[in-house]
Amino acid sequence: MVAHPTPAAHLLDPATQPDAIERAAQRLADGGLLALPTETVYGLGARADDDAAVARIFAAKGRPADHPLIVHVPNQAAALAFVSAFPPVAQRLTAAFWPGPLTVIVPRKLDMATAAAGGHDTIGLRCPDHPVARQLLEACAKHNILGVAAPSANRFGRISPTRAEHVIDEFAGQGDSPDAQSSLSSLGVVWVLQGGPCEVGIESTIIDCTRAQPVLLRPGKLTLVEIQAVAGVDVLWSRPEAPDPSAPRAPGTLLSHYAPRAKVRLMSDAQIASALDVIEPELTAAYLLDPSQGPRMAVYSRSLWAYRAKHKAIVHLSMPGDAAMAAHDLFADLRELDATGVDLIWVETPPDDPAWDGVRDRLNRAAAS
Ligand code: TXA
Ligand code: MG
């Protein structure tokens, strides 16, 4: 077996190191990569105004260079440095929801952040609402850094990290393939700014504001209903599981994404109950809605617990019955189930309710792999 060097991790913790934020800002000012916490997920950041620094993000993630990244800014005024126009819809949405889990796509100033934009003539901007991210962006401004480009801090196609430890596992842990290792070797030491567990847990809601009618490109904590109420106009949404061929597709949005190593199978509670009657040879984990919610208790107490008694190998975690809590736990739970080494993860399909759109979207993509 060929040995590949595993990058080491360097954790900066503002809770115990008074100079952590300043050292993190200096790292970015020098053109280095830094994983940073946001309220949604951890990002892998580089200064957005330096194409060479941004190229290191693409190399470390193994991400195609035409998949655009989100640029993080400290406020609305700072966003203006990157845009050739800030459409009224974008103004209304950012005034209402920034700082927060909202990304707007707007026309780009063509001499700015070309690498971060993946060469497209638009740019995605977000002002995060996490105290450590906000302090970092303020410190960056003092170094004349205009914004921080940061995709989720995971390898391309994998589960987004919601804790500093996930980032370390992802990049400084034992990469499971030589390909991953060779892309990671460009990272050197992985710098991670500690910010604790991410409160929201799934990535920002993305709204394309460059068209006559705004388009929801990715659902998140902010629902279509909340967005629509502020946008003042109808917002289009083409669901990835039932795409509308007339709706535009965003560059870099793939049906297959957020994938654990194990296969993910989305199932209704009835499908789960009948699958439990058949003995599957595959080592299986189950991620099922909290059985205290509604009639599921009957199904699970009849089938799952009986199955577990016979086949002790099955691993089970409960998905919280509340959509915000489910989003908060989702990626950490999928990582935990995956780490048990199972072949298959059964996931109960979340309720058909707009509050669950973000979680349902991530699960559909994880199951599409
Ligand atoms: O919550 C989040 O948005 C996290 C945190 C770190 O801020 N970031 C994140 O970035 O999820 P990433 O790169 O994993 O996903 C960004 C997505 C891309 O897949 C792409 O589809 C879309 O944003 N995007 C970014 N810029 C775009 C643009 N100019 N046009 C269309 N889509 C764009
Ligand atoms: Mg991502």
Side-chain angles (χ1 to χ4, degrees):
M1 216 181 107
V2 187
H4 292 275
T6 298
H10 184 70
L11 191 66
L12 293 169
D13 188 350
T16 55
Q17 303 159 1
D19 61 348
I21 298 279
E22 180 45 36
R23 289 176 61 203
Q26 187 62 54
R27 166 91 177 160
L28 292 170
D30 294 342
L33 296 185
L34 171 84
L36 61 135
T38 80
E39 79 279 32
T40 57
V41 301
Y42 276 74
L44 183 63
R47 59 183 303 164
D49 51 12
D50 178 346
D51 284 354
V54 170
R56 291 184 194 112
I57 300 178
F58 287 95
K61 282 193 58 128
R63 176 163 168 145
D66 60 346
H67 283 217
L69 312 180
I70 294 169
V71 174
H72 298 72
V73 290
N75 49 50
Q76 249 183 333
L80 298 179
F82 294 94
V83 311
S84 62
F86 212 53
V89 167
Q91 286 176 31
R92 285 195 290 275
L93 291 174
T94 56
F97 297 120
W98 278 7
L102 170 75
T103 296
V104 290
I105 310 293
V106 291
R108 177 171 65 95
K109 225 178 245 171
L110 292 183
D111 57 349
M112 292 294 289
T114 305
H120 300 274
D121 56 7
T122 57
I123 188 147
L125 295 167
R126 177 161 114 78
C127 173
D129 186 17
H130 184 294
V132 172
R134 295 182 62 73
Q135 287 168 43
L136 177 68
L137 289 170
E138 274 160 30
C140 282
K142 295 196 182 115
H143 287 271
N144 297 316
I145 296 172
L146 296 175
V148 175
S152 52
N154 51 279
R155 285 183 279 137
F156 184 61
R158 306 301 292 258
I159 306 175
S160 299
T162 54
R163 305 196 177 152
E165 307 85 80
H166 296 166
V167 180
I168 293 169
D169 284 351
E170 195 75 15
F171 289 112
Q174 301 298 318
D176 47 15
S177 78
D179 272 2
Q181 281 297 329
S182 60
S183 77
L184 291 182
S185 61
S186 63
L187 252 180
V189 175
V190 184
W191 287 54
V192 183
L193 182 59
Q194 177 62 272
C198 301
E199 202 177 311
V200 173
I202 56 172
E203 305 82 351
S204 57
T205 303
I206 305 181
I207 306 291
D208 183 349
C209 302
T210 64
R211 303 163 196 275
Q213 187 178 9
V215 182
L216 174 69
L217 297 183
R218 180 174 71 186
K221 180 187 181 209
L222 293 169
T223 63
L224 189 57
V225 179
E226 289 169 281
I227 296 285
Q228 202 129 290
V230 170
V233 285
D234 272 354
V235 179
L236 253 182
W237 180 25
S238 176
R239 293 169 177 250
E241 65 272 28
D244 169 356
S246 68
R249 255 202 64 218
T253 50
L254 299 174
L255 180 56
S256 159
H257 219 86
Y258 312 107
R261 186 197 39 75
K263 250 189 312 178
V264 170
R265 188 184 296 162
L266 264 181
M267 300 157 86
S268 66
D269 57 352
Q271 285 170 322
I272 289 163
S274 55
L276 283 166
D277 294 335
V278 182
I279 295 167
E280 297 229 13
E282 289 164 303
L283 199 55
T284 301
Y287 192 44
L288 310 181
L289 274 161
D290 180 349
S292 66
Q293 311 286 316
R296 274 183 295 283
M297 183 58 118
V299 173
Y300 295 165
S301 53
R302 195 190 78 235
S303 307
L304 179 62
W305 314 128
Y307 185 95
R308 285 184 80 186
K310 273 191 286 179
H311 307 279
K312 294 207 165 38
I314 198 165
V315 187
H316 170 244
L317 276 182
S318 279
M319 189 189 317
D322 169 76
M325 279 165 59
H328 177 272
D329 292 358
L330 179 67
F331 291 144
D333 286 349
L334 286 180
R335 276 176 189 271
E336 187 180 329
L337 291 172
D338 207 24
T340 62
V342 293
D343 302 308
L344 180 64
I345 305 176
W346 292 346
V347 179
E348 184 169 347
T349 307
D352 187 16
D353 175 303
W356 286 84
D357 284 345
V359 169
R360 204 174 325 96
D361 169 79
R362 303 315 185 272
L363 287 173
N364 278 323
R365 292 176 203 260
S369 298

